Amino acid sequence: MNNKENFLKGIFSENPVFMLVLGMCPVLAITTTVTNALGMGLAFTFVLIMSNVIISLIRKFIPNDIRIPAYIVVIATVVTIVDMFMHAYAFSLYESLGIFIPLIVVNCVVLGRAEAFASKNGVFASFIDALGMGAGFTLSITLISTVREVLGSGTFLGIDIFPFDLVQPASIFVIAPGAFITLGILLGIINTIRFKRAKKAQAKE
Amino acid sequence: MQALYIALLITGLGAFFAIGWYLNKKTPLPEGCELPSLACEHCMSSTCSFAEPNRKEALLQEIKQDLTNSKEGEVNE
Amino acid sequence: MNFGQLVALAFSAILIQNVMLTQFLGTCPFLGVSKKSQSAIGMGLAVIFVITLSSILTWSVYWLVLDPLGLEYMRTIVFILIISGVVQFVEMFIKKTAPAIYKMLGIYLPLITTNCAVLGVALININKEFNFIEMVVYSVGISVGYALVIYVFSTIRERIEKAPIPESFKGTPIALIIAGLMSIAFIGFAGIL
């Protein structure tokens, strides 16, 4: 597939959050504010790109049987670097993301792309694939966190958007159940849109 | 000095994993464990090696099936 | 830590700070393996095995090897390698000694390597600076809480199969909403301690 298709599939047809439903742990935990989501998306995209590129470069030198632990070591190294970098230069983000930065190592998306794509394709294709998946992930969690932050605490990027206490925010959205319910409803809405499109395509035939 | 420790540590752990993996590979599956029937429904990934093949195709087929069924139902009524 | 504090810690790990419903660790198998209660029990038991063993090992390696050598920053890499090794050993051990158990939970063992809960609990043990006994109590509590929640969740999902749900909400969306309602229920436990 050409590069444009490669990139767009990460955002639409194989969106890791809404279509593949993979690696949901950070999605549920991080999306309390939009700033957190953007920071997480950035870290995630960086890890994905670096690990895809490195694994694509060394794919010919790894025997097939031990490829999974080898990929895990590469990804863990990249994540450790990102972790220490954020600890030094973005400390407030590091504190709010907490344990979920090291947990990018076991995120199914990162390992899945490494095994499914980077181990079989060239460096540039892997780079585009990682960029697409990272962009899809970031856009998805930004959407979820926008819903949760606006409805749950009445702010957006930390700025109050309902002045004069016009609307009282529903704080259920920023605690644990809100994550599940928001994600469930958003997934339902997206499924409805998908099925309607499939119906239209079917009707045309 | 620290680099030496790190190299030793990673090699040691790699050996730990390799021994475990090798022993695991050598022990045969007990009788009655047919793994294909326990095919994983973990996630919607079309590229996973554990999953049943053609998951996406199966899902699209299901949607089309439902649509044709509902169309026939409307025609009959 | 005296006995009362350990009981409070266990309680907190199982119910109040429930690993799945409050801390969001281990979501992927929770949504994927919980369609039948049979597979949910298998997954829960496998998780208890692996989390307890790997927590003990990772805690020991951290305090006996990494900390004296000043290599704390290597913990992510070291922990994930230990967890992969432990899973291999556990699988081989179960294959040899208890084939009946292997039939129930064998296929889930490789999946647990990339489960957020295992690595997450290992890291939490270090962050909270538990001593050995607290670490064991916390890890067992967490994994029992996980097994409990995934089993209850699977029984609810089994019953919902027969309910009239809109087509676009079947599967994952309704499962997430159920999990949200369970999470609301578990908030009630916060007042116990």
Side-chain angles (χ1 to χ4, degrees), chain C residues 110-128:
Chain C
L111 258 46
I112 296 183
T113 316
T114 58
N115 190 336
C116 307
V118 186
L119 185 59
V121 169
L123 290 172
I124 291 177
N125 285 333
I126 305 299
N127 286 347
K128 291 201 178 169

mmCIF file of all heavy atoms in Angstrom, chain C residues 110-128:
data_model
loop_
_atom_site.group_PDB
_atom_site.id
_atom_site.type_symbol
_atom_site.label_atom_id
_atom_site.label_comp_id
_atom_site.label_asym_id
_atom_site.label_seq_id
_atom_site.Cartn_x
_atom_site.Cartn_y
_atom_site.Cartn_z
ATOM 1 N N PRO C 110 0.647 -16.970 27.909
ATOM 2 C CA PRO C 110 1.479 -16.043 27.125
ATOM 3 C C PRO C 110 0.860 -14.655 27.041
ATOM 4 O O PRO C 110 1.578 -13.661 26.939
ATOM 5 C CB PRO C 110 1.539 -16.706 25.749
ATOM 6 C CG PRO C 110 1.190 -18.112 25.966
ATOM 7 C CD PRO C 110 0.265 -18.154 27.118
ATOM 8 N N LEU C 111 -0.474 -14.567 27.086
ATOM 9 C CA LEU C 111 -1.122 -13.257 27.014
ATOM 10 C C LEU C 111 -0.835 -12.422 28.244
ATOM 11 O O LEU C 111 -0.897 -11.200 28.211
ATOM 12 C CB LEU C 111 -2.640 -13.456 26.928
ATOM 13 C CG LEU C 111 -3.298 -13.305 25.569
ATOM 14 C CD1 LEU C 111 -2.548 -14.034 24.501
ATOM 15 C CD2 LEU C 111 -4.699 -13.815 25.639
ATOM 16 N N ILE C 112 -0.546 -13.101 29.374
ATOM 17 C CA ILE C 112 -0.358 -12.334 30.607
ATOM 18 C C ILE C 112 0.974 -11.607 30.590
ATOM 19 O O ILE C 112 1.167 -10.675 31.362
ATOM 20 C CB ILE C 112 -0.460 -13.274 31.812
ATOM 21 C CG1 ILE C 112 -1.861 -13.842 31.867
ATOM 22 C CG2 ILE C 112 -0.188 -12.562 33.092
ATOM 23 C CD1 ILE C 112 -2.063 -14.715 33.048
ATOM 24 N N THR C 113 1.908 -12.004 29.719
ATOM 25 C CA THR C 113 3.183 -11.310 29.681
ATOM 26 C C THR C 113 2.976 -9.833 29.400
ATOM 27 O O THR C 113 3.644 -8.978 29.977
ATOM 28 C CB THR C 113 4.085 -11.889 28.576
ATOM 29 O OG1 THR C 113 3.996 -13.304 28.637
ATOM 30 C CG2 THR C 113 5.505 -11.470 28.772
ATOM 31 N N THR C 114 2.049 -9.514 28.507
ATOM 32 C CA THR C 114 1.849 -8.115 28.166
ATOM 33 C C THR C 114 0.656 -7.524 28.886
ATOM 34 O O THR C 114 0.074 -6.560 28.424
ATOM 35 C CB THR C 114 1.649 -7.953 26.655
ATOM 36 O OG1 THR C 114 0.533 -8.756 26.280
ATOM 37 C CG2 THR C 114 2.867 -8.357 25.911
ATOM 38 N N ASN C 115 0.282 -8.087 30.014
ATOM 39 C CA ASN C 115 -0.818 -7.543 30.780
ATOM 40 C C ASN C 115 -0.316 -6.381 31.618
ATOM 41 O O ASN C 115 0.660 -6.527 32.348
ATOM 42 C CB ASN C 115 -1.368 -8.651 31.673
ATOM 43 C CG ASN C 115 -2.666 -8.257 32.330
ATOM 44 O OD1 ASN C 115 -2.952 -7.094 32.500
ATOM 45 N ND2 ASN C 115 -3.442 -9.243 32.706
ATOM 46 N N CYS C 116 -1.005 -5.228 31.510
ATOM 47 C CA CYS C 116 -0.553 -4.067 32.271
ATOM 48 C C CYS C 116 -0.519 -4.349 33.760
ATOM 49 O O CYS C 116 0.281 -3.767 34.486
ATOM 50 C CB CYS C 116 -1.475 -2.873 32.061
ATOM 51 S SG CYS C 116 -1.775 -2.444 30.366
ATOM 52 N N ALA C 117 -1.420 -5.229 34.222
ATOM 53 C CA ALA C 117 -1.524 -5.420 35.667
ATOM 54 C C ALA C 117 -0.243 -6.001 36.243
ATOM 55 O O ALA C 117 0.193 -5.593 37.315
ATOM 56 C CB ALA C 117 -2.701 -6.335 35.993
ATOM 57 N N VAL C 118 0.397 -6.923 35.539
ATOM 58 C CA VAL C 118 1.568 -7.576 36.111
ATOM 59 C C VAL C 118 2.707 -6.576 36.276
ATOM 60 O O VAL C 118 3.262 -6.407 37.362
ATOM 61 C CB VAL C 118 2.021 -8.745 35.212
ATOM 62 C CG1 VAL C 118 3.133 -9.502 35.864
ATOM 63 C CG2 VAL C 118 0.857 -9.650 34.933
ATOM 64 N N LEU C 119 3.041 -5.876 35.179
ATOM 65 C CA LEU C 119 4.118 -4.902 35.279
ATOM 66 C C LEU C 119 3.716 -3.760 36.201
ATOM 67 O O LEU C 119 4.525 -3.247 36.972
ATOM 68 C CB LEU C 119 4.455 -4.369 33.884
ATOM 69 C CG LEU C 119 5.641 -3.422 33.822
ATOM 70 C CD1 LEU C 119 6.878 -4.090 34.329
ATOM 71 C CD2 LEU C 119 5.861 -2.931 32.421
ATOM 72 N N GLY C 120 2.433 -3.378 36.145
ATOM 73 C CA GLY C 120 1.959 -2.281 36.979
ATOM 74 C C GLY C 120 2.121 -2.581 38.456
ATOM 75 O O GLY C 120 2.606 -1.746 39.221
ATOM 76 N N VAL C 121 1.721 -3.790 38.873
ATOM 77 C CA VAL C 121 1.832 -4.143 40.292
ATOM 78 C C VAL C 121 3.293 -4.200 40.711
ATOM 79 O O VAL C 121 3.668 -3.748 41.791
ATOM 80 C CB VAL C 121 1.125 -5.481 40.564
ATOM 81 C CG1 VAL C 121 1.447 -5.980 41.939
ATOM 82 C CG2 VAL C 121 -0.356 -5.309 40.411
ATOM 83 N N ALA C 122 4.152 -4.740 39.822
ATOM 84 C CA ALA C 122 5.575 -4.786 40.157
ATOM 85 C C ALA C 122 6.118 -3.383 40.400
ATOM 86 O O ALA C 122 6.869 -3.149 41.348
ATOM 87 C CB ALA C 122 6.348 -5.472 39.031
ATOM 88 N N LEU C 123 5.721 -2.434 39.551
ATOM 89 C CA LEU C 123 6.217 -1.071 39.732
ATOM 90 C C LEU C 123 5.594 -0.395 40.945
ATOM 91 O O LEU C 123 6.265 0.368 41.649
ATOM 92 C CB LEU C 123 5.930 -0.253 38.474
ATOM 93 C CG LEU C 123 6.757 -0.636 37.258
ATOM 94 C CD1 LEU C 123 6.253 0.108 36.037
ATOM 95 C CD2 LEU C 123 8.212 -0.318 37.486
ATOM 96 N N ILE C 124 4.315 -0.665 41.220
ATOM 97 C CA ILE C 124 3.670 -0.048 42.378
ATOM 98 C C ILE C 124 4.337 -0.513 43.659
ATOM 99 O O ILE C 124 4.539 0.274 44.593
ATOM 100 C CB ILE C 124 2.162 -0.378 42.410
ATOM 101 C CG1 ILE C 124 1.441 0.325 41.279
ATOM 102 C CG2 ILE C 124 1.547 0.046 43.719
ATOM 103 C CD1 ILE C 124 -0.009 -0.008 41.217
ATOM 104 N N ASN C 125 4.714 -1.808 43.723
ATOM 105 C CA ASN C 125 5.387 -2.299 44.923
ATOM 106 C C ASN C 125 6.637 -1.502 45.219
ATOM 107 O O ASN C 125 6.980 -1.260 46.379
ATOM 108 C CB ASN C 125 5.773 -3.764 44.747
ATOM 109 C CG ASN C 125 4.576 -4.681 44.856
ATOM 110 O OD1 ASN C 125 3.606 -4.351 45.520
ATOM 111 N ND2 ASN C 125 4.641 -5.812 44.212
ATOM 112 N N ILE C 126 7.350 -1.107 44.149
ATOM 113 C CA ILE C 126 8.569 -0.332 44.357
ATOM 114 C C ILE C 126 8.240 1.106 44.718
ATOM 115 O O ILE C 126 8.824 1.683 45.635
ATOM 116 C CB ILE C 126 9.441 -0.355 43.087
ATOM 117 C CG1 ILE C 126 9.734 -1.780 42.660
ATOM 118 C CG2 ILE C 126 10.708 0.409 43.313
ATOM 119 C CD1 ILE C 126 10.487 -2.558 43.678
ATOM 120 N N ASN C 127 7.255 1.697 44.005
ATOM 121 C CA ASN C 127 6.932 3.093 44.262
ATOM 122 C C ASN C 127 6.453 3.314 45.679
ATOM 123 O O ASN C 127 6.755 4.333 46.298
ATOM 124 C CB ASN C 127 5.839 3.576 43.304
ATOM 125 C CG ASN C 127 6.381 3.783 41.907
ATOM 126 O OD1 ASN C 127 7.583 3.793 41.715
ATOM 127 N ND2 ASN C 127 5.497 3.939 40.953
ATOM 128 N N LYS C 128 5.667 2.351 46.187
ATOM 129 C CA LYS C 128 5.133 2.543 47.527
ATOM 130 C C LYS C 128 6.086 2.047 48.603
ATOM 131 O O LYS C 128 5.742 2.099 49.785
ATOM 132 C CB LYS C 128 3.801 1.791 47.650
ATOM 133 C CG LYS C 128 2.707 2.414 46.825
ATOM 134 C CD LYS C 128 1.362 2.009 47.339
ATOM 135 C CE LYS C 128 0.282 2.702 46.526
ATOM 136 N NZ LYS C 128 -1.043 2.154 46.809
#
